[in-house]
Amino acid sequence: MKYPIAALFMAMSASFSILADTLNLKSSAPEQYTVKKGDTLWDISNLYLRSPWKWRQLWQWNPQVNNPDRIYPGDVLALQYDAEGRPMLMLDKGVKKLSPHSRVTVQKSTAIPTLPLAMIEPFIEYEQALDQDALNSSPIVLGASRNVKMSTLGHILYVKGSLPLSANYGIYRQGEPYIDLATGATLAYETKLVGSARVIRVGNIQNGVPSSVEVEMIKQEIKPGDVLLPISKGQSYSAQFHMAKPKNIDAGMIIASTNKLREFGTTAVVVLNLGRNAGLKEGHILDIKKQSPTVIEGKHGPRYVEDANSLEKFMKSVRELFGKGNTENSVVWTMPKEKVGELMVFKVYDDISYAMVIKSIHPIRVGDTVSAE
């Protein structure tokens, strides 16, 4: 009888494995994990799942948790399985941290962020990407109460615009354009915060009277021509995102990196030529793909482009001009794109977005493709 029983046990184990693998649970997934200060939701998701953006599915059979995107330092996560073998996480609220000397009480005031907060906070809270119309319609700094080219803390600035009394404004400087590498179009301009100010005297620009603002915070010297954008003191920004793979998103491209490096990897912040108009949202996970090298099949056999002669390179440029694909008679072979990493979108505008590289298999560069699959 032991053999049928063993066979039944093996069949049940196989069935269990199939059910458990629907979420690609890692074999190293811990049975219990205590959330620590400094953890990110992505890091913890990556402990359990090969596809960390499926985090919510790991909680979906658990009515105990309404929002799995918000967990806190001190929370104890327990990996369990339901009657059908489906893995799920439980929140063990009864566990206390004990030691022979002390009892630690964790204040649950701030949920852990989805991504490293120190890396994304400046972009969420301060940095902007504005198009030319927005820049042209914003109030600008005309000058200061002192004859200086660069204003600093405590200076009074005169602004071309009718601003409401006591309102708070961020002062921004227009930077480099974000150019779509595929079309050559300017999608927006990098707009960096240089300071902040409060309105102390209302202007009337229709009558030629500028508004007056007093500089309250400074990151760089303020210059004439810098633009003002309204801010709200005490404004809060969410650091938790609903991770998800988008559907029906056209492929896009990394058009810039904020560190200005030639190559970059995990935790780098990049700019995409996709935004709200393309259906992109905060929390979307995209694959990063790199174009494999083109091969030219000549009289000396297949060779990479950099090893080809002038005629073969000319043939490649002609083919690219007419956009021809591979055939069995091709001489110029365009190879597939291969996945080299993943990124998460955390700030979205109409035509561009900011994203963080959360996984890199090989170095990533500006010009690499991004897609939902």
Side-chain angles (χ1 to χ4, degrees):
M1 288 295 292
K2 69 176 183 178
Y3 294 105
I5 291 174
L8 179 61
F9 178 79
M10 291 175 64
M12 290 175 63
S13 297
S15 176
F16 172 86
S17 299
I18 293 171
L19 284 168
D21 197 50
T22 58
L23 280 176
N24 293 311
L25 194 69
K26 287 185 174 180
S27 59
S28 58
E31 293 183 2
Q32 190 177 87
Y33 182 79
T34 302
V35 181
K36 302 183 296 293
K37 185 177 180 180
D39 280 342
T40 67
L41 190 61
W42 177 263
D43 291 337
I44 295 176
S45 305
N46 203 36
L47 281 177
Y48 287 93
L49 298 170
R50 291 191 177 91
S51 301
W53 59 88
K54 295 182 179 179
W55 176 249
R56 281 178 164 250
Q57 294 181 39
L58 194 55
W59 295 85
Q60 66 180 341
W61 310 111
N62 182 3
Q64 180 189 18
V65 177
N66 293 325
N67 188 355
D69 297 333
R70 298 182 70 88
I71 56 177
Y72 301 81
D75 281 346
V76 177
L77 311 180
L79 180 62
Q80 299 181 10
Y81 299 86
D82 68 6
E84 297 181 21
R86 294 175 295 198
M88 63 180 181
L89 276 182
M90 304 291 291
L91 191 60
D92 192 341
K93 296 182 178 181
V95 174
K96 300 288 185 182
K97 292 183 177 180
L98 298 176
S99 72
H101 304 291
S102 63
R103 174 174 298 208
V104 179
T105 303
V106 178
Q107 296 293 331
K108 291 189 178 183
S109 56
T110 304
I112 65 169
T114 308
L115 299 175
L117 191 57
M119 305 293 294
I120 66 173
E121 188 175 26
F123 299 94
I124 295 177
E125 191 168 357
Y126 298 120
E127 306 303 334
Q128 302 286 339
L130 302 180
D131 60 28
Q132 193 64 62
D133 289 342
L135 288 166
N136 291 342
S137 62
S138 297
I140 64 168
V141 174
L142 294 171
S145 56
R146 303 180 191 180
N147 188 11
V148 292
K149 293 183 179 179
M150 298 183 181
S151 301
T152 58
L153 195 66
H155 283 192
I156 294 175
L157 305 178
Y158 303 119
V159 177
K160 185 179 180 181
S162 301
L163 309 181
L165 187 64
S166 299
N168 297 291
Y169 282 83
I171 305 172
Y172 291 84
R173 181 164 303 141
Q174 179 179 331
E176 298 178 1
Y178 290 131
I179 297 174
D180 190 329
L181 303 181
T183 65
T186 298
L187 302 178
Y189 288 88
E190 179 183 24
T191 314
K192 301 186 75 66
L193 182 77
V194 296
S196 66
R198 182 177 58 86
V199 180
I200 59 172
R201 192 158 47 238
V202 176
N204 188 328
I205 206 64
Q206 286 76 19
N207 294 331
V209 180
S211 298
S212 301
V213 302
E214 183 176 7
V215 179
E216 294 189 330
M217 184 275 288
I218 189 163
K219 296 181 68 178
Q220 298 180 28
E221 294 84 355
I222 299 166
K223 300 178 181 180
D226 289 342
V227 302
L228 278 76
L229 301 172
I231 59 174
S232 175
K233 280 196 172 181
Q235 186 173 0
S236 61
Y237 299 85
S238 175
Q240 285 81 39
F241 303 98
H242 178 189
M243 297 181 291
K245 276 274 191 175
K247 298 179 181 179
N248 303 320
I249 296 286
D250 292 334
M253 188 183 298
I254 297 174
I255 61 172
S257 69
T258 60
N259 59 18
K260 313 296 183 186
L261 297 179
R262 182 170 176 265
E263 294 183 336
F264 38 89
T266 306
T267 73
V269 175
V270 299
V271 183
L272 312 180
N273 65 342
L274 298 174
R276 197 174 293 112
N277 291 334
L280 211 57
K281 296 180 180 179
E282 288 86 355
H284 275 169
I285 307 290
L286 298 177
D287 290 343
I288 307 170
K289 295 184 178 180
K290 188 178 293 292
Q291 178 65 57
S292 299
T294 298
V295 172
I296 298 177
E297 192 176 9
K299 63 180 181 179
H300 300 293
R303 294 190 292 177
Y304 294 120
V305 172
E306 56 266 27
D307 301 322
N309 59 39
S310 299
L311 177 59
E312 290 169 335
K313 291 179 180 178
F314 174 73
M315 293 168 58
K316 173 181 178 293
S317 63
V318 169
R319 175 183 168 168
E320 289 175 344
L321 180 65
F322 290 97
K324 293 184 178 180
N326 293 341
T327 69
E328 61 178 341
N329 298 317
S330 289
V331 175
V332 180
W333 291 89
T334 301
M335 299 305 181
K337 295 182 175 72
E338 299 293 345
K339 182 176 176 178
V340 294
E342 295 170 348
L343 55 77
M344 182 188 297
V345 177
F346 65 84
K347 191 171 186 179
V348 179
Y349 295 90
D350 286 345
D351 296 309
I352 73 165
S353 58
Y354 287 107
M356 173 176 279
V357 177
I358 50 180
K359 181 180 181 181
S360 58
I361 304 168
H362 299 291
I364 296 162
R365 292 187 177 187
V366 169
D368 286 346
T369 301
V370 296
S371 63
E373 56 182 29

